[in-house]
Amino acid sequence: MTKNRLKTWAICLLAGGGLAACAPSEVQTGDLNVIPQPQEVITTAEAAPFVIRSSTSICYPEGNAKLERTAHLLASYIKEVTGTEVKIGTKAGNNCIVLGLNPAIAQKDGYELNITADQVTINGSTEAGVFYGTQTIHKALPITGGKALGSLPAGTVKDFPQYGYRGFMIDVGRHYFPVAYLKELIDVMALHNINYFHWHLTEDQGWRIEIKKYPKLTEIGSVRKETITAPGSGKFDGTPVSGFYTQEEAKEIVAYAAERFITVIPEIDMPGHMLAALASYPELGCTGGPYEVATKFGVFKEVLCGGNEKTLQFAKDVVNELMDIFPDAPYIHIGGDECPKAEWKKCPKCQAKIRELGLRDTKEHSKENQLQVYFMGEVEKEIAKRGKKMLAWDEILEGNPDPKTTTIAAWTGVSASIKAAQLGHQTIVCPISHLYFSNPGYNRLKGVSSVERVYNFEPASDKLTPEEKKNIIGVQGCIWTEWTKDSLKMEWQMMPRIAALSELQWSNPANKNLDGFLKRLRHQLDLYTLYGFHYKEDIEDVVIEATPTGKEGEAVIALKTFDNAPVYYTLDGTEPTETSLTYTQPFTIEGKTTTIKAKAIRNGRESHITESTIEYNLATMRPITLKSTPDAGYTYKGAQTLVDGLTGDDNYRSGRYIGFYGQNFDAVIDLQEEREFSSVSIGTYLVPGDYIFGLTGIEVYGSEDGQKFRKIASKAIPTLEKGSKNNVLTRNDITFDKTKARYVRIVGKNTPVLPQWHPGAGRKTFLFLDEITIN
C-alpha cells in the first residue's frame, strides 16, 4: 500500500548498552473469513495458530520473479498491519510462509492456503492465484499496530474467483488524477481481488493520454477553461482544468498494476464524447468547427465524422499507439456510447458513405446506426491485427455488431446485459442502477442501504438460460468524475461499496448473505483507515426501525448498526451522549408522536446522530392491506411503510417508499375501532425524469365491516407540467365533512401514461408513496 507509509517501530535500550527491537509478547489471532468471502474456509479451533515473528520468513521458488515480487508485497502488508518485519528468501523451513505453484488446482487463478503452527503454504494454479492467497493473509491478520504479534488461525482455505473479469473503471477525462494517486487506487483494487483497471482516458471535457502522432490532442484537448458548478446551474467556476499522462507515465501505471496482477484496459471513447479531440483537430468533425473543449457535462451532438476517411484513419492511428502503450491488454475499449446522429444525417460525407455501403433503415437499426457499426468495425479490424478484442458500451448493439468480435460492457440497465448475452456477446455487467458508484441518484442512498443495493444485485439474470449465462464473463464497478474532482469524494464513492462489489465478482452467489458480509465489513473498514483512505462514514450510523405491535397504534423500535456497536439514544429531543439511555433491546412507544435520536460510539469515536420522528395520526401503526401490487423492485418492507409514522426521505430507492408501476394505488386501513375523521393525505415522491409521476386523483371510502364500502369523497389532481422539478416530496390532501368508519379505503389514481411533453411520451408511469395520514 502507498497511502500510509511504513511506520518506524520503537527500539529499546538494553541494560548492556545494546539496541534491540521491542518484541511484543501478546498474540492476537485474525480471521480467515475475509472480503471477498473465500469459496471454502475450514478452521481448526483446537490447533495452535501460526504466529508471525521477526524470525518468520516468506519463501518463494528461486527464479520466479513474479512470486519474488509477491513475497515482497506480502512482507510489506505484514509490516503495515502488524508492525512485524519478516524475512524473504528461497529456502523453506519452520516458521515460514511458502509460496508455490500447483498445476493440479483445477480452477484458473485458484489457490489453496494451509496454515499450521509451524508453516503456512500458499499454492496457486497460477502466480495470480498465489497473489490472491497472499491477499487473504493480508486481510486475515489482526491490526495490532506493533503492540502485539499477529497470528493466523490454523486451517485451510480453498478458493477461486466466480468471474474471470473483475473490473473497476475510473474516468480521468472529466477530472485528471495524478499517477501517484492512481497507484493508490490500484492498491485498493488489489485489496479486493480486482484484476482489471478500466481506464477511461478521453472525454468531451479532456483528452488525457499522449498520442505522439497527434500532439494537439494534449496541447489543446487536455485543457478546458472552466467547469459548470452544478447540474443545470448555468454558472461556471472560472478555474481551468488540465492534465494528461505521457506514454511513459501510462506504462508506469501498467507496470505497477501488473505487479499486482491487474491488467489495465484503456478506453478511447468514440465516435461520440470527442469534443476535446475535435477542438484539437476540427477537420475530424462533420462541420469543421470551430469546437471547444466542453465545460458542461452531458451528451453533445458534435461527434467524429463517420463518413470521413481521414477521421477513420485518425481513430486507427490512435488505437495503434494505444496498443503500443498497453501491450498486455486483451481488450481495447473504444466506447460507442451516446453518439447522436443529428450531424451525420446532415453531413454530405456521412450520407455519401451510407450510400457507398448500401445501408438502409430497418425496423431495428437506422442507416446512421449502421454507419457507426461500420466505423467501429473498421477500428476493430485494426485492433484484431494485434491479437486483441474490441470492448464497447452496450449502445453499440443498436447497430447489430458481430458477437464473435465485440465484447459488451452493459451499463444502461440490467436489460442490456440480458440482451447482450442472449445475442451471444461476451458481456461485462456494470448497470448504472447498481454499479455506477458516482451516480447522483444512487449516491443519495446512505449507510447499509447503499451497500445492500450493490451486494444483493445478481449479475447473471434469471431471465438467461444456463447457456446464455456463460456469456456473462465479468462484473465491473464504475466511477464517472463529472462531480468527482478530489480524492475524498473518489474514496467516499468507492468505499465501502467496492467491498460489496468484490463479493459479486469473486464469491459464490449461493453463499451470499448480507448479514454475514456486514460482520466481515468492520475489519475491512479498519484496513481502509490504516492505509489512510476515507470510506463513507454513514455506514456507521444507527438505523432506526419501527414496526407495529398490532394493538392500539403501539410501535416497537429497534436501533441497529451493521457491526453491533454500542448505541445511545434519547426520546426527549436532546442530543444523545454516553450518559444517555443505552440500547440493549427493542422498546415500545405508545401512540404518541415521539422523536428518537441515536448515535453509535466506537472506542470514543462517535457516529453522526440519526433522528426519526414517529408522527402519529389515526392510521399510524394500524393494519393495512394492499389491494394493488407494488413493483417487485420497489416493494421493500411493503404496505407497513405507508403507516409507520416515518416521512419519506430524498431518495425513492432508500426503502422509505414503495413504488407502483402502471396501476393505481389501492389500500384498506383498519383503524381497529370506529373513529371520526375528516381528512386524508398521501405523501408522493416526484421524479419525472425517471418516469415517476404523481397522483391525478384521490378517492376515499369508509366501511364498518371491511366488506361494504361507501364513497366518502374524491378529488382530481392536475397532471405534472413540463419543467416540473425532480426529487420533490409532495403531499396530496383531501378534506371532507366529519364522518365515522372503522375501515378506510384509499384509492390513488396514477398518471395513466407519460404526457406528450415527456421524452418517454405514451409509456406507463411509476408512482412512489410514503406516508398515509388520516385525521
Side-chain angles (χ1 to χ4, degrees):
M1 287 289 183
T2 58
K3 190 86 170 181
N4 196 33
R5 293 300 173 192
L6 300 182
K7 299 176 177 65
T8 302
W9 301 99
I11 55 175
C12 298
L13 184 63
L14 300 181
L19 294 175
C22 289
S25 56
E26 181 188 349
V27 176
Q28 293 181 16
T29 302
D31 188 341
L32 294 173
N33 289 293
V34 299
I35 291 175
Q37 175 75 32
Q39 303 289 344
E40 180 183 313
V41 177
I42 300 172
T43 54
T44 311
E46 66 277 8
F50 178 86
V51 181
I52 295 178
R53 310 177 188 276
S54 58
S55 59
T56 300
S57 62
I58 302 172
C59 305
Y60 62 91
E62 188 170 0
N64 190 318
K66 290 182 178 180
L67 290 188
E68 180 181 5
R69 177 60 192 169
T70 295
H72 281 278
L73 286 171
L74 177 57
S76 72
Y77 301 149
I78 291 170
K79 178 72 180 289
E80 290 176 283
V81 174
T82 69
T84 301
E85 189 162 353
V86 300
K87 300 175 175 61
I88 297 171
T90 57
K91 294 184 179 179
N94 288 336
N95 201 225
C96 185
I97 302 172
V98 183
L99 312 183
L101 296 173
N102 181 0
I105 296 173
Q107 299 86 1
K108 179 173 168 48
D109 294 342
Y111 68 90
E112 294 180 0
L113 170 62
N114 186 55
I115 302 167
T116 67
D118 297 324
Q119 192 177 76
V120 175
T121 59
I122 308 172
N123 286 308
S125 63
T126 61
E127 284 88 351
V130 177
F131 178 77
Y132 301 132
T134 65
Q135 285 294 351
T136 295
I137 289 177
H138 179 192
K139 290 171 282 195
L141 285 169
I143 301 172
T144 67
K147 297 177 182 178
L149 294 173
S151 73
L152 297 166
T156 59
V157 176
K158 294 182 179 180
D159 201 10
F160 58 89
Q162 175 74 11
Y163 289 105
Y165 185 107
R166 304 179 302 282
F168 200 88
M169 192 219 77
I170 295 174
D171 159 29
V172 297
R174 275 60 177 251
H175 283 96
Y176 168 86
F177 290 85
V179 169
Y181 186 62
L182 289 181
K183 288 181 178 179
E184 292 174 2
L185 297 182
I186 288 169
D187 279 328
V188 174
M189 296 178 205
L191 185 70
H192 295 87
N193 295 9
I194 286 169
N195 64 341
Y196 283 95
F197 167 29
H198 174 178
W199 199 5
H200 186 86
L201 287 162
T202 65
E203 262 304 333
D204 294 301
Q205 297 78 18
W207 186 283
R208 305 290 177 215
I209 184 70
E210 177 189 24
I211 301 296
K212 295 184 185 295
K213 192 167 184 177
Y214 297 93
K216 291 181 182 179
L217 289 172
T218 46
E219 291 171 8
I220 297 172
S222 69
V223 182
R224 68 173 178 271
K225 64 183 181 183
E226 58 187 356
T227 307
I228 193 168
T229 57
S233 69
K235 298 178 181 179
F236 297 83
D237 59 16
T239 303
V241 175
S242 63
F244 68 91
Y245 307 94
T246 66
Q247 293 194 3
E248 289 307 309
E249 286 175 325
K251 290 175 182 177
E252 185 181 337
I253 288 287
V254 168
Y256 189 87
E259 289 175 344
R260 290 146 183 82
F261 297 91
I262 294 172
T263 301
V264 182
I265 304 298
E267 181 186 355
I268 304 292
D269 203 349
M270 62 176 78
H273 289 287
M274 271 279 166
L275 265 175
L278 293 175
S280 307
Y281 295 95
E283 65 272 20
L284 300 177
C286 290
T287 66
Y291 304 102
E292 181 183 39
V293 178
T295 56
K296 297 188 291 186
F297 303 115
V299 178
F300 300 90
K301 67 177 183 178
E302 295 85 0
V303 301
L304 293 181
C305 180
N308 188 337
E309 291 300 324
K310 289 184 178 179
T311 302
L312 181 57
Q313 189 58 49
F314 162 82
K316 292 178 179 181
D317 292 340
V318 168
V319 297
N320 268 300
E321 281 202 37
L322 209 62
M323 290 186 285
D324 292 337
I325 304 168
F326 300 90
D328 296 328
Y331 304 101
I332 301 295
H333 199 309
I334 59 173
D337 64 314
E338 297 178 329
C339 179
K341 305 301 189 296
E343 295 297 329
W344 287 14
K345 290 179 180 180
K346 298 184 295 183
C347 174
K349 290 182 179 178
C350 289
Q351 292 304 311
K353 178 57 72 172
I354 285 172
R355 289 192 296 272
E356 176 190 329
L357 297 171
L359 303 179
R360 298 283 187 273
D361 287 334
T362 68
K363 185 177 180 181
E364 295 84 12
H365 310 292
S366 72
K367 57 183 183 291
E368 285 78 20
N369 281 338
Q370 294 175 66
L371 177 60
Q372 180 175 337
V373 171
Y374 159 77
F375 185 95
M376 303 287 271
E378 291 300 296
V379 178
E380 188 273 334
K381 291 175 185 176
E382 205 70 18
I383 294 170
K385 289 177 185 176
R386 304 280 290 271
K388 300 180 185 297
K389 297 184 71 173
M390 182 177 80
L391 181 57
W393 300 111
D394 60 67
E395 286 99 328
I396 198 171
L397 295 175
E398 295 171 4
N400 200 28
D402 187 348
K404 295 178 182 177
T405 59
T406 305
T407 299
I408 302 297
W411 77 274
T412 57
V414 175
S415 59
S417 62
I418 295 171
K419 178 181 178 181
Q422 288 175 337
L423 290 173
H425 290 272
Q426 289 196 326
T427 303
I428 297 162
V429 180
C430 50
I432 184 175
S433 57
H434 293 80
L435 301 182
Y436 270 32
F437 293 171
S438 51
N439 181 268
Y442 296 99
N443 276 349
R444 284 199 300 275
L445 287 175
K446 297 176 182 177
V448 171
S449 63
S450 176
V451 172
E452 181 180 11
R453 184 161 186 83
V454 177
Y455 188 83
N456 284 339
F457 175 63
E458 176 47 55
S461 170
D462 288 340
K463 294 182 180 179
L464 297 173
T465 66
E467 197 63 27
E468 289 167 344
K469 285 182 179 181
K470 294 177 182 178
N471 291 327
I472 304 296
I473 63 168
V475 186
Q476 178 170 286
C478 301
I479 288 183
W480 300 95
T481 60
E482 289 95 333
W483 312 109
T484 306
K485 58 184 179 181
D486 57 57
S487 62
L488 178 62
K489 192 166 184 181
M490 175 74 77
E491 291 160 26
W492 276 0
Q493 291 177 345
M494 276 182 104
M495 293 173 268
R497 284 180 292 178
I498 193 172
L501 170 71
S502 74
E503 299 228 337
L504 300 185
Q505 297 172 329
W506 183 277
S507 305
N508 184 348
N511 296 332
K512 189 186 294 185
N513 179 279
L514 180 63
D515 289 339
F517 169 77
L518 292 174
K519 289 176 183 176
R520 289 177 279 119
L521 183 59
R522 175 73 267 164
H523 183 67
Q524 196 81 354
L525 298 181
D526 293 340
L527 282 172
Y528 299 156
T529 299
L530 175 69
Y531 291 123
F533 292 105
H534 302 87
Y535 59 86
K536 197 71 162 45
E537 291 183 353
D538 58 23
I539 187 70
E540 299 185 329
D541 293 349
V542 179
V543 175
I544 300 174
E545 294 183 350
T547 54
T549 65
K551 65 175 184 177
E552 299 302 321
E554 285 185 347
V556 174
I557 308 300
L559 307 179
K560 297 181 177 181
T561 62
F562 83 96
D563 57 350
N564 296 316
V567 172
Y568 304 87
Y569 70 99
T570 63
L571 302 175
D572 60 4
T574 61
E575 304 296 291
T577 67
E578 283 187 291
T579 62
S580 301
L581 295 168
T582 302
Y583 179 77
T584 56
Q585 61 184 15
F587 56 89
T588 302
I589 60 173
E590 299 179 356
K592 64 178 181 178
T593 296
T594 304
T595 296
I596 305 158
K597 293 185 178 182
K599 72 165 58 166
I601 303 179
R602 300 168 174 87
N603 299 319
R605 185 167 53 84
E606 299 182 356
S607 72
H608 301 108
I609 293 174
T610 301
E611 178 179 342
S612 288
T613 297
I614 312 294
E615 297 182 352
Y616 268 85
N617 62 82
L618 295 180
T620 307
M621 299 297 166
R622 305 293 177 173
I624 180 171
T625 303
L626 286 179
K627 299 172 75 67
S628 53
T629 305
D631 182 85
Y634 301 104
T635 299
Y636 300 111
K637 294 182 180 179
Q640 197 59 48
T641 303
L642 303 176
V643 291
D644 63 4
L646 299 172
T647 302
D649 54 20
D650 64 353
N651 195 316
Y652 65 85
R653 306 177 183 93
S654 68
R656 289 295 323 128
Y657 301 87
I658 57 174
F660 299 84
Y661 182 65
Q663 60 176 310
N664 293 333
F665 165 72
D666 194 345
V668 175
I669 298 169
D670 179 3
L671 303 183
Q672 296 183 301
E673 62 178 293
E674 189 175 73
R675 304 294 293 268
E676 186 176 72
F677 58 98
S678 59
S679 69
V680 168
S681 70
I682 307 176
T684 311
Y685 200 64
L686 308 176
V687 195
D690 286 357
Y691 296 15
I692 302 173
F693 272 57
L695 296 171
T696 59
I698 301 176
E699 297 175 353
V700 180
Y701 301 82
S703 172
E704 282 64 50
D705 61 4
Q707 301 297 318
K708 297 179 180 179
F709 284 86
R710 68 185 186 281
K711 189 171 186 178
I712 296 173
S714 63
K715 176 183 178 180
I717 302 170
T719 302
L720 283 182
E721 297 179 352
K722 185 176 182 180
S724 296
K725 292 183 178 180
N726 287 315
N727 302 305
V728 174
L729 174 57
T730 187
R731 294 205 70 81
N732 298 118
D733 303 291
I734 180 170
T735 59
F736 38 85
D737 293 337
K738 289 182 180 180
T739 188
K740 289 184 177 182
R742 171 175 172 172
Y743 298 92
V744 181
R745 180 185 175 197
I746 302 168
V747 176
K749 300 288 189 176
N750 193 6
T751 304
V753 294
L754 294 168
Q756 286 302 310
W757 58 260
H758 196 280
R763 296 186 183 182
K764 294 179 181 180
T765 67
F766 278 98
L767 177 66
F768 275 79
L769 306 175
D770 77 327
E771 198 67 13
I772 296 172
T773 65
I774 302 175
N775 288 306

